[in-house]
Amino acid sequence: MTFAAVPLTLYPDMFPGPLGHSMAGRALEAGVWSCAPVQIRDFATDKHRTVDDTPAGGGAGMVLKADVLGAAIDHATAVHPGLPIVAMTPRGAPVTQARIRELSVGPGAIILCGRFEGFDERIFDARPIEQLSIGDIILSGGEMAALMLLDACIRLLPGVMGAASSGDDESFEHGLLEYPHYTRPVTWEGRTIPEVLRSGDHAKIAAWRKHQAEDDTRLRRPDLWERHIDARDRPASGARQKKKD
């Protein structure tokens, strides 16, 4: 099954963009995934092909029109039935590696890329759209966020990474940041690769890496550490233990 990427955008030439290179580019050429961007402006009905209008209630900027967005989405779902629809917006839920894994095993995604001040909110009431955010930052548009989302999904598709286990220990896969890496030369500017990594003792190396991952997560990302501890301590049933009074 080919993973279908269907960005809905005012700038279709931005796709596949960087995803046409390296592992993702080779996978695109091999037919592991496909990229079929849709120009939102094609679904405007006036002679000026207007896709935006001033905000109701006043304010700066422009808002993407619900009628144009609805027509573009309906076209995409008719051509690519069964694909989930996501919208890249800072108002969305933060993207997690768990959600990326769920998307990567599916048929693909229709990805709505915002511009200007965003979307007419009625589009989310009228269509089954999942709102996603890549982080607490503001971009010029949703295209860069969509590329990031797609890159995260594509690298997980079968055969894209060189070895099936290549991504097993990477950051966020198990709720932790990845442990630090080193390579030759052994000594560089007076700094030496930790001795344990040169010991050949696989058990000690695994223990060191686990400790480093936990320590770095605790110090650098206390939010991730809290979630990791909570998940680790939760009973197998998934129910939370009641706190003692």
Side-chain angles (χ1 to χ4, degrees):
M1 178 180 66
T2 298
F3 181 93
V6 186
L8 272 59
T9 171
L10 293 174
Y11 300 96
D13 289 345
M14 293 181 71
F15 297 90
L19 299 181
H21 302 274
S22 189
M23 293 188 303
R26 290 191 293 271
L28 181 61
E29 290 180 359
V32 175
W33 70 285
S34 64
C35 187
V38 173
Q39 170 59 269
I40 294 173
R41 196 174 298 279
D42 289 345
F43 300 90
T45 56
D46 66 323
K47 66 178 181 179
H48 299 295
R49 302 175 74 200
T50 305
V51 298
D52 59 339
D53 207 339
T54 54
M62 304 291 279
V63 177
L64 286 168
K65 292 162 57 66
D67 54 345
V68 177
L69 293 172
I73 292 170
D74 292 345
H75 166 80
T77 54
V79 175
H80 305 276
L83 295 189
I85 310 167
V86 301
M88 307 311 301
T89 166
R91 287 168 51 93
V95 176
T96 64
Q97 189 63 19
R99 186 67 187 109
I100 291 295
R101 282 203 168 274
E102 291 171 352
L103 287 170
S104 70
V105 298
I110 294 168
I111 308 175
L112 190 56
C113 302
R115 280 277 159 177
F116 316 123
E117 294 302 309
F119 310 101
D120 184 314
E121 189 69 14
R122 291 173 294 181
I123 196 65
F124 301 116
D125 298 326
R127 301 291 186 275
I129 303 171
E130 178 183 9
Q131 300 181 60
L132 294 176
S133 168
I134 60 165
D136 297 342
I137 58 174
I138 305 299
L139 300 173
S140 298
E143 288 80 11
M144 295 303 296
L147 287 167
M148 291 177 66
L149 182 80
L150 288 171
D151 181 72
C153 290
I154 292 163
R155 62 185 296 278
L156 296 180
L157 299 177
V160 174
M161 286 191 284
S165 61
S166 293
D168 287 353
D169 291 332
E170 293 185 344
S171 295
F172 314 118
E173 283 294 350
H174 302 289
L176 297 171
L177 297 180
E178 189 177 6
Y179 50 80
H181 291 280
Y182 301 85
T183 190
R184 288 175 293 216
V186 172
T187 300
W188 174 73
E189 293 191 353
R191 296 167 175 82
T192 304
I193 295 173
E195 184 177 352
V196 65
L197 298 179
R198 296 177 281 126
S199 69
D201 188 324
H202 297 295
K204 286 184 178 180
I205 291 171
W208 181 88
R209 286 173 169 170
K210 181 175 184 292
H211 173 76
Q212 291 293 317
E214 292 178 341
D215 213 32
D216 285 353
T217 304
R218 181 175 57 83
L219 293 173
R220 301 182 185 192
R221 289 290 304 273
D223 57 322
L224 283 180
W225 181 247
E226 287 292 331
R227 290 201 294 272
H228 174 70
I229 292 299
D230 182 60
R232 187 185 67 184
D233 294 343
R234 191 177 302 135
S237 65
R240 293 179 178 270
Q241 302 222 5
K242 291 183 179 180
K243 293 183 179 180
K244 294 182 180 180
D245 294 333

mmCIF file of all heavy atoms in Angstrom, residues 10-11 17 25 46 53-54 71-72 74 93 110 112 120 125 153 170 174-175 180 189 198 203 210 237 239:
data_model
loop_
_atom_site.group_PDB
_atom_site.id
_atom_site.type_symbol
_atom_site.label_atom_id
_atom_site.label_comp_id
_atom_site.label_asym_id
_atom_site.label_seq_id
_atom_site.Cartn_x
_atom_site.Cartn_y
_atom_site.Cartn_z
ATOM 1 N N LEU A 10 -2.027 26.779 -0.811
ATOM 2 C CA LEU A 10 -1.969 27.848 -1.807
ATOM 3 C C LEU A 10 -0.635 27.841 -2.544
ATOM 4 O O LEU A 10 -0.456 28.579 -3.507
ATOM 5 C CB LEU A 10 -2.180 29.206 -1.126
ATOM 6 C CG LEU A 10 -3.576 29.455 -0.537
ATOM 7 C CD1 LEU A 10 -3.592 30.765 0.235
ATOM 8 C CD2 LEU A 10 -4.635 29.455 -1.628
ATOM 9 N N TYR A 11 0.287 26.978 -2.093
ATOM 10 C CA TYR A 11 1.617 26.918 -2.692
ATOM 11 C C TYR A 11 2.001 25.464 -2.966
ATOM 12 O O TYR A 11 2.899 24.901 -2.320
ATOM 13 C CB TYR A 11 2.638 27.588 -1.768
ATOM 14 C CG TYR A 11 2.320 29.043 -1.512
ATOM 15 C CD1 TYR A 11 1.618 29.438 -0.371
ATOM 16 C CD2 TYR A 11 2.684 30.019 -2.436
ATOM 17 C CE1 TYR A 11 1.309 30.762 -0.158
ATOM 18 C CE2 TYR A 11 2.373 31.354 -2.226
ATOM 19 C CZ TYR A 11 1.684 31.719 -1.087
ATOM 20 O OH TYR A 11 1.367 33.043 -0.879
ATOM 21 N N GLY A 17 9.217 19.297 -2.149
ATOM 22 C CA GLY A 17 10.256 20.119 -1.525
ATOM 23 C C GLY A 17 11.410 19.274 -1.018
ATOM 24 O O GLY A 17 11.922 18.407 -1.732
ATOM 25 N N GLY A 25 13.109 10.989 -0.624
ATOM 26 C CA GLY A 25 13.111 11.118 -2.078
ATOM 27 C C GLY A 25 13.238 9.775 -2.775
ATOM 28 O O GLY A 25 12.556 9.519 -3.778
ATOM 29 N N ASP A 46 -15.243 33.098 -7.615
ATOM 30 C CA ASP A 46 -15.363 34.422 -8.221
ATOM 31 C C ASP A 46 -14.256 34.629 -9.252
ATOM 32 O O ASP A 46 -13.304 33.854 -9.343
ATOM 33 C CB ASP A 46 -15.313 35.511 -7.149
ATOM 34 C CG ASP A 46 -13.956 35.579 -6.471
ATOM 35 O OD1 ASP A 46 -13.346 34.507 -6.269
ATOM 36 O OD2 ASP A 46 -13.480 36.691 -6.155
ATOM 37 N N ASP A 53 -10.908 36.477 3.286
ATOM 38 C CA ASP A 53 -11.722 37.673 3.495
ATOM 39 C C ASP A 53 -11.392 38.235 4.873
ATOM 40 O O ASP A 53 -10.707 37.590 5.680
ATOM 41 C CB ASP A 53 -13.211 37.340 3.382
ATOM 42 C CG ASP A 53 -14.044 38.553 2.941
ATOM 43 O OD1 ASP A 53 -13.562 39.686 3.119
ATOM 44 O OD2 ASP A 53 -15.160 38.355 2.435
ATOM 45 N N THR A 54 -11.902 39.437 5.159
ATOM 46 C CA THR A 54 -11.598 40.094 6.426
ATOM 47 C C THR A 54 -12.275 39.372 7.590
ATOM 48 O O THR A 54 -13.330 38.752 7.427
ATOM 49 C CB THR A 54 -12.070 41.554 6.398
ATOM 50 O OG1 THR A 54 -13.463 41.579 6.049
ATOM 51 C CG2 THR A 54 -11.292 42.352 5.362
ATOM 52 N N ALA A 71 -14.937 23.118 -0.389
ATOM 53 C CA ALA A 71 -14.920 22.559 -1.747
ATOM 54 C C ALA A 71 -13.601 21.841 -2.024
ATOM 55 O O ALA A 71 -13.578 20.773 -2.647
ATOM 56 C CB ALA A 71 -15.141 23.675 -2.761
ATOM 57 N N ALA A 72 -12.487 22.404 -1.556
ATOM 58 C CA ALA A 72 -11.181 21.767 -1.759
ATOM 59 C C ALA A 72 -11.096 20.447 -1.014
ATOM 60 O O ALA A 72 -10.597 19.442 -1.545
ATOM 61 C CB ALA A 72 -10.067 22.712 -1.305
ATOM 62 N N ASP A 74 -13.630 18.539 -0.077
ATOM 63 C CA ASP A 74 -14.551 17.583 -0.708
ATOM 64 C C ASP A 74 -13.934 16.973 -1.967
ATOM 65 O O ASP A 74 -14.098 15.775 -2.237
ATOM 66 C CB ASP A 74 -15.876 18.273 -1.050
ATOM 67 C CG ASP A 74 -16.663 18.656 0.197
ATOM 68 O OD1 ASP A 74 -16.331 18.151 1.290
ATOM 69 O OD2 ASP A 74 -17.602 19.466 0.066
ATOM 70 N N ALA A 93 -3.794 20.188 18.659
ATOM 71 C CA ALA A 93 -3.135 19.385 19.683
ATOM 72 C C ALA A 93 -1.679 19.153 19.274
ATOM 73 O O ALA A 93 -1.386 18.971 18.088
ATOM 74 C CB ALA A 93 -3.847 18.046 19.835
ATOM 75 N N ILE A 110 -4.779 13.698 4.170
ATOM 76 C CA ILE A 110 -5.060 14.978 3.527
ATOM 77 C C ILE A 110 -4.671 16.042 4.549
ATOM 78 O O ILE A 110 -5.152 16.027 5.682
ATOM 79 C CB ILE A 110 -6.547 15.100 3.159
ATOM 80 C CG1 ILE A 110 -6.914 14.067 2.079
ATOM 81 C CG2 ILE A 110 -6.876 16.513 2.676
ATOM 82 C CD1 ILE A 110 -8.406 13.915 1.859
ATOM 83 N N LEU A 112 -4.359 19.978 5.488
ATOM 84 C CA LEU A 112 -4.808 21.336 5.199
ATOM 85 C C LEU A 112 -3.787 22.327 5.743
ATOM 86 O O LEU A 112 -3.491 22.336 6.947
ATOM 87 C CB LEU A 112 -6.181 21.564 5.844
ATOM 88 C CG LEU A 112 -6.961 22.823 5.501
ATOM 89 C CD1 LEU A 112 -7.174 22.938 4.005
ATOM 90 C CD2 LEU A 112 -8.292 22.818 6.239
ATOM 91 N N ASP A 120 -11.513 29.831 8.699
ATOM 92 C CA ASP A 120 -12.865 30.081 9.212
ATOM 93 C C ASP A 120 -13.227 28.872 10.075
ATOM 94 O O ASP A 120 -13.218 27.730 9.621
ATOM 95 C CB ASP A 120 -13.843 30.222 8.041
ATOM 96 C CG ASP A 120 -15.260 30.588 8.477
ATOM 97 O OD1 ASP A 120 -15.774 29.973 9.436
ATOM 98 O OD2 ASP A 120 -15.863 31.459 7.828
ATOM 99 N N ASP A 125 -16.351 22.493 12.148
ATOM 100 C CA ASP A 125 -17.668 21.970 12.525
ATOM 101 C C ASP A 125 -18.291 21.169 11.387
ATOM 102 O O ASP A 125 -19.062 20.234 11.629
ATOM 103 C CB ASP A 125 -18.610 23.122 12.910
ATOM 104 C CG ASP A 125 -18.118 23.906 14.111
ATOM 105 O OD1 ASP A 125 -17.501 23.290 15.000
ATOM 106 O OD2 ASP A 125 -18.344 25.130 14.148
ATOM 107 N N CYS A 153 6.368 10.824 9.293
ATOM 108 C CA CYS A 153 5.620 9.621 8.898
ATOM 109 C C CYS A 153 6.389 8.784 7.882
ATOM 110 O O CYS A 153 6.472 7.560 8.011
ATOM 111 C CB CYS A 153 4.270 10.022 8.297
ATOM 112 S SG CYS A 153 3.073 10.703 9.457
ATOM 113 N N GLU A 170 15.413 6.245 19.229
ATOM 114 C CA GLU A 170 15.472 7.682 19.025
ATOM 115 C C GLU A 170 14.541 8.416 19.984
ATOM 116 O O GLU A 170 13.636 7.847 20.573
ATOM 117 C CB GLU A 170 15.143 8.010 17.568
ATOM 118 C CG GLU A 170 16.231 7.501 16.626
ATOM 119 C CD GLU A 170 16.018 7.897 15.196
ATOM 120 O OE1 GLU A 170 14.892 8.302 14.860
ATOM 121 O OE2 GLU A 170 16.970 7.787 14.419
ATOM 122 N N HIS A 174 10.239 6.049 23.169
ATOM 123 C CA HIS A 174 9.867 5.392 24.417
ATOM 124 C C HIS A 174 9.592 6.418 25.517
ATOM 125 O O HIS A 174 9.733 6.117 26.703
ATOM 126 C CB HIS A 174 10.968 4.423 24.850
ATOM 127 C CG HIS A 174 11.276 3.372 23.824
ATOM 128 N ND1 HIS A 174 10.402 2.331 23.539
ATOM 129 C CD2 HIS A 174 12.335 3.219 22.989
ATOM 130 C CE1 HIS A 174 10.927 1.573 22.588
ATOM 131 N NE2 HIS A 174 12.087 2.094 22.227
ATOM 132 N N GLY A 175 9.227 7.615 25.111
ATOM 133 C CA GLY A 175 8.889 8.645 26.079
ATOM 134 C C GLY A 175 10.076 9.371 26.656
ATOM 135 O O GLY A 175 9.935 10.164 27.583
ATOM 136 N N PRO A 180 23.139 10.361 24.317
ATOM 137 C CA PRO A 180 24.126 11.024 23.454
ATOM 138 C C PRO A 180 24.946 10.025 22.648
ATOM 139 O O PRO A 180 25.132 8.873 23.052
ATOM 140 C CB PRO A 180 25.013 11.783 24.444
ATOM 141 C CG PRO A 180 24.862 11.061 25.731
ATOM 142 C CD PRO A 180 23.458 10.534 25.745
ATOM 143 N N GLU A 189 39.976 17.592 20.520
ATOM 144 C CA GLU A 189 40.158 18.828 21.297
ATOM 145 C C GLU A 189 40.177 18.541 22.792
ATOM 146 O O GLU A 189 39.594 19.273 23.600
ATOM 147 C CB GLU A 189 39.065 19.848 20.947
ATOM 148 C CG GLU A 189 39.164 20.366 19.519
ATOM 149 C CD GLU A 189 38.261 21.546 19.250
ATOM 150 O OE1 GLU A 189 37.441 21.891 20.136
ATOM 151 O OE2 GLU A 189 38.362 22.122 18.149
ATOM 152 N N ARG A 198 33.725 2.314 24.980
ATOM 153 C CA ARG A 198 34.868 1.657 24.360
ATOM 154 C C ARG A 198 35.191 0.326 25.026
ATOM 155 O O ARG A 198 36.172 -0.328 24.681
ATOM 156 C CB ARG A 198 36.098 2.582 24.428
ATOM 157 C CG ARG A 198 35.918 3.862 23.629
ATOM 158 C CD ARG A 198 37.119 4.796 23.763
ATOM 159 N NE ARG A 198 37.107 5.545 25.017
ATOM 160 C CZ ARG A 198 38.113 5.571 25.878
ATOM 161 N NH1 ARG A 198 39.218 4.885 25.646
ATOM 162 N NH2 ARG A 198 38.025 6.282 26.978
ATOM 163 N N ALA A 203 26.221 -5.009 28.043
ATOM 164 C CA ALA A 203 25.294 -4.794 29.152
ATOM 165 C C ALA A 203 25.574 -3.450 29.832
ATOM 166 O O ALA A 203 24.651 -2.695 30.156
ATOM 167 C CB ALA A 203 25.397 -5.934 30.164
ATOM 168 N N LYS A 210 20.758 3.949 28.955
ATOM 169 C CA LYS A 210 19.465 4.109 29.630
ATOM 170 C C LYS A 210 19.550 5.210 30.682
ATOM 171 O O LYS A 210 18.659 6.073 30.775
ATOM 172 C CB LYS A 210 19.045 2.792 30.280
ATOM 173 C CG LYS A 210 17.702 2.831 30.990
ATOM 174 C CD LYS A 210 17.328 1.446 31.498
ATOM 175 C CE LYS A 210 15.936 1.446 32.139
ATOM 176 N NZ LYS A 210 15.923 2.220 33.398
ATOM 177 N N SER A 237 -3.348 -2.389 33.778
ATOM 178 C CA SER A 237 -4.721 -2.202 33.323
ATOM 179 C C SER A 237 -4.957 -0.832 32.723
ATOM 180 O O SER A 237 -5.924 -0.588 32.044
ATOM 181 C CB SER A 237 -5.702 -2.407 34.476
ATOM 182 O OG SER A 237 -5.497 -1.387 35.464
ATOM 183 N N ALA A 239 -5.363 1.771 34.596
ATOM 184 C CA ALA A 239 -6.030 2.576 35.628
ATOM 185 C C ALA A 239 -5.002 3.242 36.521
ATOM 186 O O ALA A 239 -3.936 2.685 36.788
ATOM 187 C CB ALA A 239 -6.949 1.682 36.460
#
